[in-house]
Amino acid sequence: MSQVGGAFWGQICHAWGRSRRWIILLLVPLLLTGCVDYDVGINFESQTHGEIVQHIQISERLKAFSSSTSEAWLDSIRRRTRQLRGKVKRISEREIAVTIPFNNGEELVEKFNQFFNPVEQKKARSQPDSLGEFPQISSKMSLQQKNFLLAIYNQLSYDLDLRSLGAISSSGSVLVSPGALLNLNFALNTPWGAKTLSSSGETLAPEIGDGGRQLRWKLHPGELNHLEVGFWVPSPIGIGALLISLLVAFGIFVKDLLFPLLGIGKKRPRPTPPSQAETGNLGS
């Protein structure tokens, strides 16, 4: 009986030795699920003011799994934010909040594309061995604007290629599938609401909140993501110009029509000088 039991446990140990690496590979995605929460938002308040906001939180599991890589990534985010005159708030050891202001639509596109396609990333593509532990992504935002004096119509398009994302070891091998690594969301906040423009199957459908003023997309790691949206924002310059024009028109109305009716500003008639005949009569 002891020989049978010994043979049984020997087979179990042999089977464990052969399948151990596969069990580890199956457990790693479970242990690291949702290890990075990355929320990106655009607060487009008006023609001349807005913010790019980001909230990044790394789980304790990923921090322990690859502390040097995650810290280098956070340092890169802080450095790029300061280059764009933004602010970084360190909430905790594993969590930061980023705010990058912009003054118009053109500056929004410029700063957004520069942040997510930095020069250091372009250099890394030409030298894959130097920064092989950092996945390279392709991010492109475009914005078309039409000015209607009091408001500006914006058509925003965003393409994000996340097929390269995953948990990367120091040797460059993928340890975890992209979907197990990132929980990535993109939000757009506008004062008057927004709506999606494309009905194709490739366009992501957002969740709508705050009475239609917020659109929120769940982006899919490991896939190509495309979204397109249209929205209006007020134009302080146009509104100010209209108010000035109305004020000037009201002033003209008061001056030319209302004042004479009230007897204000009437010129008294000048006395006519006496004629020569009248002067002669007075002299005689």
Side-chain angles (χ1 to χ4, degrees), residues 145-157:
Q145 295 182 306
K146 295 181 180 179
N147 196 331
F148 291 88
L149 185 61
L150 301 182
I152 295 179
Y153 180 72
N154 300 268
Q155 183 174 340
L156 185 145
S157 177

Side-chain angles (χ1 to χ4, degrees), residues 48-273:
T48 58
H49 181 68
E51 292 178 338
I52 303 171
V53 294
Q54 301 176 62
H55 181 263
I56 303 103
Q57 184 174 13
I58 298 176
S59 68
E60 294 182 1
R61 297 169 182 172
L62 180 60
K63 189 74 174 178
F65 181 75
S66 183
S67 177
S68 60
T69 301
S70 59
E71 191 60 35
W73 180 52
L74 292 178
D75 287 339
S76 174
I77 292 176
R78 287 190 287 264
R79 182 170 58 255
R80 283 178 278 162
T81 301
R82 295 188 182 99
Q83 290 175 352
L84 298 175
R85 299 182 179 180
K87 296 180 180 180
V88 179
K89 181 180 179 182
R90 188 74 182 246
I91 301 175
S92 67
E93 184 181 357
R94 301 177 289 103
E95 186 177 1
I96 62 174
V98 173
T99 303
I100 302 175
F102 60 87
N103 297 317
N104 50 59
E106 182 179 356
E107 189 175 3
L108 162 65
V109 173
E110 179 182 355
K111 287 189 173 184
F112 193 95
N113 289 333
Q114 185 176 344
F115 183 91
F116 289 101
N117 292 281
V119 175
E120 59 191 57
Q121 179 168 298
K122 295 178 181 179
K123 291 181 179 179
R125 290 173 181 170
S126 61
Q127 300 175 355
D129 294 332
S130 61
L131 290 173
E133 57 190 87
F134 292 100
Q136 306 303 321
I137 64 174
S138 175
S139 171
K140 183 179 180 181
M141 174 179 287
S142 61
L143 181 68
Q144 296 180 355
Q145 295 182 306
K146 295 181 180 179
N147 196 331
F148 291 88
L149 185 61
L150 301 182
I152 295 179
Y153 180 72
N154 300 268
Q155 183 174 340
L156 185 145
S157 177
Y158 184 42
D159 292 284
L160 182 63
D161 186 354
L162 296 176
R163 291 176 295 182
S164 64
L165 288 182
I168 311 299
S169 69
S170 58
S171 62
S173 58
V174 179
L175 298 177
V176 185
S177 64
L181 175 66
L182 263 181
N183 179 24
L184 183 59
N185 297 288
F186 180 86
L188 174 66
N189 296 282
T190 64
W192 293 343
K195 64 177 182 179
T196 56
L197 298 178
S198 178
S199 59
S200 63
E202 298 179 355
T203 302
L204 296 177
E207 296 180 359
I208 301 176
D210 193 20
R213 290 186 293 270
Q214 182 186 77
L215 272 63
R216 188 175 183 89
W217 290 265
K218 175 74 174 179
L219 302 180
H220 304 297
E223 300 179 13
L224 288 170
N225 296 267
H226 173 74
L227 59 92
E228 194 167 347
V229 62
F231 59 96
W232 293 84
V233 294
S235 172
I237 297 175
I239 295 174
L242 178 62
L243 291 177
I244 292 174
S245 300
L246 292 176
L247 184 61
V248 171
F250 179 75
I252 294 174
F253 169 78
V254 170
K255 179 178 179 294
D256 294 345
L257 298 179
L258 190 59
F259 277 13
L261 295 177
L262 298 176
I264 301 175
K266 283 187 176 181
K267 294 182 180 180
R268 294 180 179 178
R270 294 180 180 179
T272 57

Side-chain angles (χ1 to χ4, degrees), residues 5-25:
F8 173 77
W9 285 110
Q11 292 177 358
I12 292 295
C13 293
H14 181 65
W16 163 254
R18 290 186 303 175
S19 60
R20 179 174 54 188
R21 61 178 180 177
W22 299 107
I23 294 175
I24 292 175
L25 289 177

